[in-house]
């Protein structure tokens, strides 16, 4: 019960793109109430194979937020990270599919997958993505360009958005 979500707005550089787009990021409070960043607890969660449980908590919270919006308020697009472990976990996929039966909710969810996680389990990632895209979900490929064969894999992954590795765009202006 010590997890919480932070929302970071994603803003378009060009008019006409998603107006209400947020990335949800998990945080944890330790026993003393101090905020613990993901870099401090995610490696242990991965090591002990509890990432699908954490990933499901995040998507459940995102759906709870979307359902709580008053009628008439446009739903934002919420990006949620999904770990490589969850990408290949059939139980996780089935639970997410059950949660996102409503196409209106599904269209408001964007799963964010790192390039490394997608490439490590390419077939599983593609199956996962196609199944959820069929429900209306969208996908973002994070850290694009950090892998050695980024463009080769890109055409195999049904993604809607790319988050380009900062190393490539740091001094673009």
């Amino acid at each position: 019960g010590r997890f919480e979500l932070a929302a970071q707005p994603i803003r378009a550089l060009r008019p006409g793109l998603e107006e209400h787009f947020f990335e949800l990021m998990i945080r944890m409070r330790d026993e003393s109430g101090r905020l613990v960043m993901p870099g401090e607890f995610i490696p242990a969660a991965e090591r002990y194979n509890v990432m699908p449980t954490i990933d499901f908590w995040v998507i459940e919270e995102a759906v709870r937020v979307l359902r709580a919006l008053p009628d008439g308020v446009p739903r934002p697009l919420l990006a949620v990270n999904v770990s490589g472990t969850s990408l290949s976990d059939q139980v996780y996929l089935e639970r997410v599919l059950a949660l996102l039966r409503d196409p209106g909710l599904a269209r408001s969810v964007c799963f964010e997958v790192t390039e490394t996680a997608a490439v490590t389990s390419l077939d599983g990632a593609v199956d996962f993505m196609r199944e959820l895209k069929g429900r209306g979900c969208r996908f973002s490929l994070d850290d694009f360009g950090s892998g050695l064969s980024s463009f080769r894999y890109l055409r195999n992954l049904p993604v809607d958005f790319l988050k380009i590795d900062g190393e490539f765009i740091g001094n673009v202006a």
Side-chain angles (χ1 to χ4, degrees), residues 58-69:
V58 172
I59 188 64
E60 267 187 320
E61 286 299 300
V63 167
R64 186 185 60 71
V65 166
L66 292 168
R67 284 185 176 143
L69 292 171

Side-chain angles (χ1 to χ4, degrees), residues 77-130:
L77 179 59
L78 299 179
V80 296
N81 291 285
V82 62
S83 67
T85 308
S86 296
L87 278 176
S88 57
D89 186 317
Q90 190 62 34
V91 172
Y92 174 78
L93 175 60
E94 290 169 10
R95 291 179 74 197
V96 170
L97 288 169
L99 186 65
L100 295 174
R101 283 187 304 264
D102 175 355
L105 283 174
R107 279 191 298 275
S108 295
V109 174
C110 178
F111 288 93
E112 191 168 295
V113 180
T114 65
E115 179 183 356
T116 304
V119 169
T120 300
S121 175
L122 188 60
D123 291 338
V126 169
D127 291 344
F128 180 90
M129 294 167 95
R130 286 197 176 130

Side-chain angles (χ1 to χ4, degrees), residues 37-57:
M37 301 305 279
E40 296 180 59
F41 64 88
I42 295 292
E46 289 172 337
R47 185 171 41 256
Y48 292 105
N49 200 31
V50 293
M51 281 311 300
T53 302
I54 293 172
D55 285 344
F56 191 71
W57 180 87

